[in-house]
Amino acid sequence: MFETVSENRCFDGVQGVYSHDSDVCGCNMTFGLFLPEEAAEGPVPLLWYLSGLTCTHENAMTKSGAQAWAAEHGIALAFPDTSPRGEGVADDDAYDLGQGAGFYVNAVQEPWAPHYRMWDYVATELPRLLFNNFALDEERQAITGHSMGGHGALTLAMNHPGRYASVSAFAPIAHPSMSDWGRKQLTAYLGTDTDAWARHDATLLMREGGFAGPVLIDQGASDQFLDLLKPEALAAAIAEVRQPGTFRMHEGYDHSYFFVSSFMEDHVSFHADALYR
């Protein structure tokens, strides 16, 4: 089960924060869930939002402005954490490894393997908890994310055909097997066998066949991490396989939540079109 940390009235719906003991991660986990007012009458569609490096469930929940647009369309929003946390959970002094940097994979290397199973957490355990306890329509899901979370959204969507009606990303880590934001973490969590990395690389997955639905990617042209993100590789892969979708480069925008919030309305509307189609 889960415990209620807080619930606040928000755009005529409820923004909740909840915690639970995760069997997958072996620790207590916290997540945010926004339910629009329509959820009082019955199950509503669900849009997953996966956050980036250093973030918790709280960053997008408080900074993205997503609830306003989700309420307009009658869509719920799930905000998972980015990693396991707590005493006894392995960590690293670097901001881009360990707690806050789970990278949405199932670690098999020590000391990460006992807790760092964010793939199974986001793909299996947390959905089961949400659909069993809240008014959510399991048949209507979509997924988005920012940076490391954009990487997670794209890879989860392409690895689970038929689950998500649509996928989008803000400044995703687009080609981690060829980037310092990727090779470091994939080696630490998964080991040196690069074949094991392929299912966690959006560019490679796109080249192999893409996503059976609409895709939207937004990237800031003044993003300070542009060389690490490698959006050009993903854009080329989208073109190669003629993936239905849109890739947009925005002049002057950086990697921050000012960028994310500027285009959040577009993303929620994009997913609403797919969820209600």
Side-chain angles (χ1 to χ4, degrees), residues 167-187:
V167 61
S168 71
F170 300 87
I173 299 175
H175 199 8
S177 64
M178 297 300 292
S179 167
D180 288 341
W181 267 4
R183 296 186 68 87
K184 171 184 177 179
Q185 294 85 356
L186 294 175
T187 299

Side-chain angles (χ1 to χ4, degrees), residues 18 44 97 111 119 175 193 208 210 237 245:
Y18 309 94
V44 296
L97 190 67
W119 182 270
H175 199 8
D193 179 8
E208 288 177 5

Side-chain angles (χ1 to χ4, degrees), residues 3-10 13-19 30-35 57 61 67 77-79 134:
E3 294 184 2
T4 300
V5 177
S6 63
E7 288 184 332
N8 297 94
R9 189 77 167 160
C10 182
V14 177
Q15 176 60 65
V17 176
Y18 309 94
S19 68
T30 301
F31 64 92
L33 178 67
F34 170 73
L35 291 172
H57 70 281
M61 192 180 80
Q67 294 92 336
L77 299 167
F79 302 100
F134 297 94

